[in-house]
Amino acid sequence: MYALSLLVTAGVVVAAPSYKPGWPSVTNIQVGPRPFWLVDQMEDSPLKAELAACSEKPIHHAPFFSISHRGGPLEFPEHSREGLYAGARMGAGVLECDVAFTSDRQLVCRHSQCDLHTTTDILLRPELAAKCTTPFQAATAESDATAKCCTSDITHDEFLSLCAKMDSSNPDATTPEEYQYGGPDWRTTAYDNCATPVDHKTYIKITDSLGLQFTPELKTPEVEMPFQGNYTQEMYAQQLIDEYKEACINPKRVWPQSFLEDDILYWIKAEPRFGKQAVYLDERVDTEEGYEVAVASMDRLSKQGVRIMAPPIFALLNTSAEGEIVPSAYAKAANRAGLDIITWSLERSGPLKEAAETGEYYISTIADAITGDGDMYRIVDALARKVGVKAMFSDWPATVTYYANCLGLN
């Protein structure tokens, strides 16, 4: 029998559901060798000694701190059934589904509404490839290979018939077959064998069966809204919540996300039990002007009922004159306003030394403090102890799960 477990979220103890026949449960958490390798790469320090001392400590789910970003896309095709279970097996307490809609207005898990040409085998399915917004165009001497295939181009059943694959493409391709893979060499295709795409309702069933928590992200549409003339943004936002209500999911287990402020405010007003845990994904910080606007907006957002801000990692960290990783103005402003902070996405930058040399997005503000992969846990520790983030998205949740277990953040 699957035992009833307890999840601690924002100070509230929530009973996880019992096992449901037909859906496997994950209780044997495995973090694999990567966390230990990262610790071994660290320069000698009190933090390294602290993390190394946990090497034989039993590992459990990190009920909220460790969030599985798209599953485990460092190795598994994102938003696939296999990726979800990989994230759960690595101890993530929260699983993510980026939500997009199909032509028949069904909700499915896909990072972008229009990424099927790089995340599935749709271009190898002539009958479906013909429906793409922009069919495959071969590379020429003057231009890269291109395509644009959206969930809204095909039906729900057609989407589920696809094979999920690692998010990648070959700009030099002259055929759809050549276009399938061209990703960075630090991601593997070892498990890229026709992974299973999932719709939103299946994601809910899987996550519920595991006793874990949900963080669905309402993806910003890439098609004109209202879609098909009468499917509005508010209908889309409401449909997402309705599927949790239909499944009888406790709102305390659901953390809906959006990059659109209007979506967050809609949920706060229309579905307050879900809206009070809505996560405002903040990409305003991508420009210098937007960053200043974001910092100045914290009190206003708090007064409007927003409780959780979620900017990318770089927005929360800076480097001191002594080379220490320290909280940013954004982090301080959010803390002053009493807002909780979640951040994204660890393990997305690739090898840290190379990422620092190129000023890669997620670590751009701390690049001069980075010397190699051993700094991964310096980043995690600064976010946890100095910034005070409540949770962290990761492309390889085991890294965050290990840290959470070591520091007793469960």
Side-chain angles (χ1 to χ4, degrees), residues 127-152:
E127 71 286 359
L128 298 182
K131 298 183 178 184
C132 289
T133 297
T134 303
F136 173 76
Q137 298 177 27
T140 68
E142 293 76 31
S143 62
D144 291 343
T146 60
K148 183 177 182 180
C149 304
C150 307
T151 59
S152 51

PDB file of all heavy atoms in Angstrom, residues 127-152:
ATOM      1  N   GLU A 127       1.746  14.122 -42.645  1.00  0.00           N
ATOM      2  CA  GLU A 127       0.362  14.573 -42.551  1.00  0.00           C
ATOM      3  C   GLU A 127       0.187  15.650 -41.491  1.00  0.00           C
ATOM      4  O   GLU A 127      -0.694  16.511 -41.593  1.00  0.00           O
ATOM      5  CB  GLU A 127      -0.566  13.382 -42.266  1.00  0.00           C
ATOM      6  CG  GLU A 127      -0.480  12.784 -40.869  1.00  0.00           C
ATOM      7  CD  GLU A 127       0.770  11.946 -40.596  1.00  0.00           C
ATOM      8  OE1 GLU A 127       1.606  11.795 -41.523  1.00  0.00           O
ATOM      9  OE2 GLU A 127       0.898  11.445 -39.479  1.00  0.00           O
ATOM     10  N   LEU A 128       1.042  15.636 -40.454  1.00  0.00           N
ATOM     11  CA  LEU A 128       0.988  16.661 -39.416  1.00  0.00           C
ATOM     12  C   LEU A 128       1.901  17.833 -39.753  1.00  0.00           C
ATOM     13  O   LEU A 128       1.563  18.989 -39.471  1.00  0.00           O
ATOM     14  CB  LEU A 128       1.369  16.057 -38.059  1.00  0.00           C
ATOM     15  CG  LEU A 128       0.446  14.951 -37.544  1.00  0.00           C
ATOM     16  CD1 LEU A 128       0.900  14.469 -36.165  1.00  0.00           C
ATOM     17  CD2 LEU A 128      -1.005  15.426 -37.478  1.00  0.00           C
ATOM     18  N   ALA A 129       3.041  17.541 -40.322  1.00  0.00           N
ATOM     19  CA  ALA A 129       3.967  18.614 -40.712  1.00  0.00           C
ATOM     20  C   ALA A 129       3.304  19.583 -41.688  1.00  0.00           C
ATOM     21  O   ALA A 129       3.595  20.782 -41.686  1.00  0.00           O
ATOM     22  CB  ALA A 129       5.224  18.018 -41.332  1.00  0.00           C
ATOM     23  N   ALA A 130       2.384  19.070 -42.487  1.00  0.00           N
ATOM     24  CA  ALA A 130       1.693  19.923 -43.452  1.00  0.00           C
ATOM     25  C   ALA A 130       0.807  20.954 -42.765  1.00  0.00           C
ATOM     26  O   ALA A 130       0.429  21.964 -43.374  1.00  0.00           O
ATOM     27  CB  ALA A 130       0.859  19.062 -44.396  1.00  0.00           C
ATOM     28  N   LYS A 131       0.451  20.717 -41.503  1.00  0.00           N
ATOM     29  CA  LYS A 131      -0.412  21.631 -40.762  1.00  0.00           C
ATOM     30  C   LYS A 131       0.371  22.716 -40.028  1.00  0.00           C
ATOM     31  O   LYS A 131      -0.226  23.626 -39.441  1.00  0.00           O
ATOM     32  CB  LYS A 131      -1.253  20.849 -39.746  1.00  0.00           C
ATOM     33  CG  LYS A 131      -2.198  19.834 -40.373  1.00  0.00           C
ATOM     34  CD  LYS A 131      -3.054  19.150 -39.304  1.00  0.00           C
ATOM     35  CE  LYS A 131      -4.036  18.174 -39.918  1.00  0.00           C
ATOM     36  NZ  LYS A 131      -4.933  17.580 -38.885  1.00  0.00           N
ATOM     37  N   CYS A 132       1.694  22.625 -40.026  1.00  0.00           N
ATOM     38  CA  CYS A 132       2.515  23.575 -39.273  1.00  0.00           C
ATOM     39  C   CYS A 132       2.326  25.001 -39.784  1.00  0.00           C
ATOM     40  O   CYS A 132       2.140  25.227 -40.985  1.00  0.00           O
ATOM     41  CB  CYS A 132       3.993  23.201 -39.365  1.00  0.00           C
ATOM     42  SG  CYS A 132       4.437  21.715 -38.453  1.00  0.00           S
ATOM     43  N   THR A 133       2.406  25.951 -38.877  1.00  0.00           N
ATOM     44  CA  THR A 133       2.302  27.365 -39.243  1.00  0.00           C
ATOM     45  C   THR A 133       3.295  27.725 -40.333  1.00  0.00           C
ATOM     46  O   THR A 133       2.972  28.410 -41.303  1.00  0.00           O
ATOM     47  CB  THR A 133       2.532  28.244 -37.999  1.00  0.00           C
ATOM     48  OG1 THR A 133       1.506  27.973 -37.042  1.00  0.00           O
ATOM     49  CG2 THR A 133       2.523  29.713 -38.358  1.00  0.00           C
ATOM     50  N   THR A 134       4.547  27.237 -40.146  1.00  0.00           N
ATOM     51  CA  THR A 134       5.582  27.407 -41.176  1.00  0.00           C
ATOM     52  C   THR A 134       6.203  26.044 -41.446  1.00  0.00           C
ATOM     53  O   THR A 134       6.928  25.516 -40.593  1.00  0.00           O
ATOM     54  CB  THR A 134       6.680  28.386 -40.717  1.00  0.00           C
ATOM     55  OG1 THR A 134       6.094  29.638 -40.375  1.00  0.00           O
ATOM     56  CG2 THR A 134       7.722  28.581 -41.805  1.00  0.00           C
ATOM     57  N   PRO A 135       5.905  25.426 -42.570  1.00  0.00           N
ATOM     58  CA  PRO A 135       6.500  24.126 -42.877  1.00  0.00           C
ATOM     59  C   PRO A 135       8.028  24.209 -42.937  1.00  0.00           C
ATOM     60  O   PRO A 135       8.608  25.291 -43.083  1.00  0.00           O
ATOM     61  CB  PRO A 135       5.907  23.780 -44.247  1.00  0.00           C
ATOM     62  CG  PRO A 135       4.648  24.588 -44.319  1.00  0.00           C
ATOM     63  CD  PRO A 135       4.947  25.858 -43.583  1.00  0.00           C
ATOM     64  N   PHE A 136       8.671  23.048 -42.841  1.00  0.00           N
ATOM     65  CA  PHE A 136      10.133  22.987 -42.870  1.00  0.00           C
ATOM     66  C   PHE A 136      10.678  23.609 -44.150  1.00  0.00           C
ATOM     67  O   PHE A 136      10.186  23.350 -45.247  1.00  0.00           O
ATOM     68  CB  PHE A 136      10.612  21.544 -42.765  1.00  0.00           C
ATOM     69  CG  PHE A 136      12.086  21.382 -42.957  1.00  0.00           C
ATOM     70  CD1 PHE A 136      12.964  21.736 -41.949  1.00  0.00           C
ATOM     71  CD2 PHE A 136      12.603  20.908 -44.163  1.00  0.00           C
ATOM     72  CE1 PHE A 136      14.339  21.609 -42.115  1.00  0.00           C
ATOM     73  CE2 PHE A 136      13.968  20.774 -44.345  1.00  0.00           C
ATOM     74  CZ  PHE A 136      14.836  21.121 -43.309  1.00  0.00           C
ATOM     75  N   GLN A 137      11.698  24.447 -43.966  1.00  0.00           N
ATOM     76  CA  GLN A 137      12.410  25.043 -45.099  1.00  0.00           C
ATOM     77  C   GLN A 137      13.889  24.743 -44.932  1.00  0.00           C
ATOM     78  O   GLN A 137      14.493  25.060 -43.903  1.00  0.00           O
ATOM     79  CB  GLN A 137      12.163  26.554 -45.139  1.00  0.00           C
ATOM     80  CG  GLN A 137      10.698  26.916 -45.327  1.00  0.00           C
ATOM     81  CD  GLN A 137      10.454  28.418 -45.287  1.00  0.00           C
ATOM     82  OE1 GLN A 137      11.341  29.201 -45.616  1.00  0.00           O
ATOM     83  NE2 GLN A 137       9.266  28.817 -44.875  1.00  0.00           N
ATOM     84  N   ALA A 138      14.469  24.123 -45.923  1.00  0.00           N
ATOM     85  CA  ALA A 138      15.858  23.681 -45.852  1.00  0.00           C
ATOM     86  C   ALA A 138      16.825  24.861 -45.798  1.00  0.00           C
ATOM     87  O   ALA A 138      16.529  25.962 -46.268  1.00  0.00           O
ATOM     88  CB  ALA A 138      16.183  22.807 -47.063  1.00  0.00           C
ATOM     89  N   ALA A 139      17.972  24.594 -45.191  1.00  0.00           N
ATOM     90  CA  ALA A 139      19.024  25.617 -45.144  1.00  0.00           C
ATOM     91  C   ALA A 139      19.543  25.892 -46.553  1.00  0.00           C
ATOM     92  O   ALA A 139      19.573  25.009 -47.416  1.00  0.00           O
ATOM     93  CB  ALA A 139      20.156  25.135 -44.254  1.00  0.00           C
ATOM     94  N   THR A 140      19.942  27.134 -46.754  1.00  0.00           N
ATOM     95  CA  THR A 140      20.572  27.524 -48.016  1.00  0.00           C
ATOM     96  C   THR A 140      21.881  28.230 -47.703  1.00  0.00           C
ATOM     97  O   THR A 140      22.233  28.421 -46.523  1.00  0.00           O
ATOM     98  CB  THR A 140      19.657  28.488 -48.807  1.00  0.00           C
ATOM     99  OG1 THR A 140      19.569  29.730 -48.092  1.00  0.00           O
ATOM    100  CG2 THR A 140      18.263  27.890 -48.988  1.00  0.00           C
ATOM    101  N   ALA A 141      22.564  28.638 -48.686  1.00  0.00           N
ATOM    102  CA  ALA A 141      23.816  29.365 -48.473  1.00  0.00           C
ATOM    103  C   ALA A 141      23.567  30.686 -47.771  1.00  0.00           C
ATOM    104  O   ALA A 141      24.462  31.226 -47.112  1.00  0.00           O
ATOM    105  CB  ALA A 141      24.519  29.597 -49.810  1.00  0.00           C
ATOM    106  N   GLU A 142      22.369  31.217 -47.891  1.00  0.00           N
ATOM    107  CA  GLU A 142      22.053  32.522 -47.295  1.00  0.00           C
ATOM    108  C   GLU A 142      21.267  32.437 -45.992  1.00  0.00           C
ATOM    109  O   GLU A 142      21.202  33.415 -45.241  1.00  0.00           O
ATOM    110  CB  GLU A 142      21.237  33.368 -48.290  1.00  0.00           C
ATOM    111  CG  GLU A 142      21.980  33.799 -49.539  1.00  0.00           C
ATOM    112  CD  GLU A 142      22.133  32.673 -50.545  1.00  0.00           C
ATOM    113  OE1 GLU A 142      21.241  31.797 -50.593  1.00  0.00           O
ATOM    114  OE2 GLU A 142      23.159  32.667 -51.265  1.00  0.00           O
ATOM    115  N   SER A 143      20.649  31.296 -45.687  1.00  0.00           N
ATOM    116  CA  SER A 143      19.770  31.243 -44.515  1.00  0.00           C
ATOM    117  C   SER A 143      19.782  29.885 -43.838  1.00  0.00           C
ATOM    118  O   SER A 143      20.072  28.858 -44.472  1.00  0.00           O
ATOM    119  CB  SER A 143      18.332  31.598 -44.926  1.00  0.00           C
ATOM    120  OG  SER A 143      17.840  30.645 -45.855  1.00  0.00           O
ATOM    121  N   ASP A 144      19.473  29.889 -42.543  1.00  0.00           N
ATOM    122  CA  ASP A 144      19.375  28.653 -41.766  1.00  0.00           C
ATOM    123  C   ASP A 144      18.078  27.919 -42.080  1.00  0.00           C
ATOM    124  O   ASP A 144      17.103  28.518 -42.567  1.00  0.00           O
ATOM    125  CB  ASP A 144      19.398  28.963 -40.261  1.00  0.00           C
ATOM    126  CG  ASP A 144      20.743  29.477 -39.788  1.00  0.00           C
ATOM    127  OD1 ASP A 144      21.740  29.292 -40.515  1.00  0.00           O
ATOM    128  OD2 ASP A 144      20.789  30.070 -38.697  1.00  0.00           O
ATOM    129  N   ALA A 145      18.063  26.638 -41.766  1.00  0.00           N
ATOM    130  CA  ALA A 145      16.827  25.859 -41.855  1.00  0.00           C
ATOM    131  C   ALA A 145      15.820  26.408 -40.856  1.00  0.00           C
ATOM    132  O   ALA A 145      16.188  26.819 -39.743  1.00  0.00           O
ATOM    133  CB  ALA A 145      17.114  24.393 -41.568  1.00  0.00           C
ATOM    134  N   THR A 146      14.558  26.422 -41.214  1.00  0.00           N
ATOM    135  CA  THR A 146      13.528  26.964 -40.337  1.00  0.00           C
ATOM    136  C   THR A 146      12.266  26.106 -40.393  1.00  0.00           C
ATOM    137  O   THR A 146      12.036  25.346 -41.340  1.00  0.00           O
ATOM    138  CB  THR A 146      13.139  28.399 -40.719  1.00  0.00           C
ATOM    139  OG1 THR A 146      12.640  28.407 -42.059  1.00  0.00           O
ATOM    140  CG2 THR A 146      14.318  29.338 -40.604  1.00  0.00           C
ATOM    141  N   ALA A 147      11.449  26.273 -39.350  1.00  0.00           N
ATOM    142  CA  ALA A 147      10.118  25.684 -39.287  1.00  0.00           C
ATOM    143  C   ALA A 147       9.426  26.304 -38.081  1.00  0.00           C
ATOM    144  O   ALA A 147      10.094  26.853 -37.189  1.00  0.00           O
ATOM    145  CB  ALA A 147      10.175  24.169 -39.151  1.00  0.00           C
ATOM    146  N   LYS A 148       8.109  26.247 -38.056  1.00  0.00           N
ATOM    147  CA  LYS A 148       7.358  26.698 -36.890  1.00  0.00           C
ATOM    148  C   LYS A 148       6.089  25.874 -36.796  1.00  0.00           C
ATOM    149  O   LYS A 148       5.189  26.002 -37.630  1.00  0.00           O
ATOM    150  CB  LYS A 148       7.017  28.188 -36.973  1.00  0.00           C
ATOM    151  CG  LYS A 148       6.297  28.710 -35.730  1.00  0.00           C
ATOM    152  CD  LYS A 148       6.036  30.214 -35.820  1.00  0.00           C
ATOM    153  CE  LYS A 148       5.371  30.722 -34.555  1.00  0.00           C
ATOM    154  NZ  LYS A 148       5.110  32.195 -34.624  1.00  0.00           N
ATOM    155  N   CYS A 149       6.047  25.033 -35.761  1.00  0.00           N
ATOM    156  CA  CYS A 149       4.913  24.145 -35.566  1.00  0.00           C
ATOM    157  C   CYS A 149       4.353  24.360 -34.163  1.00  0.00           C
ATOM    158  O   CYS A 149       5.092  24.267 -33.175  1.00  0.00           O
ATOM    159  CB  CYS A 149       5.325  22.694 -35.742  1.00  0.00           C
ATOM    160  SG  CYS A 149       6.093  22.335 -37.344  1.00  0.00           S
ATOM    161  N   CYS A 150       3.057  24.648 -34.086  1.00  0.00           N
ATOM    162  CA  CYS A 150       2.419  25.035 -32.832  1.00  0.00           C
ATOM    163  C   CYS A 150       1.420  23.980 -32.367  1.00  0.00           C
ATOM    164  O   CYS A 150       0.811  23.281 -33.183  1.00  0.00           O
ATOM    165  CB  CYS A 150       1.698  26.369 -32.999  1.00  0.00           C
ATOM    166  SG  CYS A 150       2.715  27.702 -33.673  1.00  0.00           S
ATOM    167  N   THR A 151       1.232  23.911 -31.054  1.00  0.00           N
ATOM    168  CA  THR A 151       0.192  23.021 -30.533  1.00  0.00           C
ATOM    169  C   THR A 151      -1.164  23.403 -31.108  1.00  0.00           C
ATOM    170  O   THR A 151      -2.016  22.537 -31.327  1.00  0.00           O
ATOM    171  CB  THR A 151       0.131  23.078 -29.002  1.00  0.00           C
ATOM    172  OG1 THR A 151      -0.139  24.423 -28.577  1.00  0.00           O
ATOM    173  CG2 THR A 151       1.444  22.611 -28.381  1.00  0.00           C
ATOM    174  N   SER A 152      -1.369  24.688 -31.369  1.00  0.00           N
ATOM    175  CA  SER A 152      -2.644  25.161 -31.906  1.00  0.00           C
ATOM    176  C   SER A 152      -2.823  24.829 -33.377  1.00  0.00           C
ATOM    177  O   SER A 152      -3.894  25.072 -33.942  1.00  0.00           O
ATOM    178  CB  SER A 152      -2.772  26.673 -31.690  1.00  0.00           C
ATOM    179  OG  SER A 152      -1.627  27.347 -32.168  1.00  0.00           O
TER     180      SER A 152
END
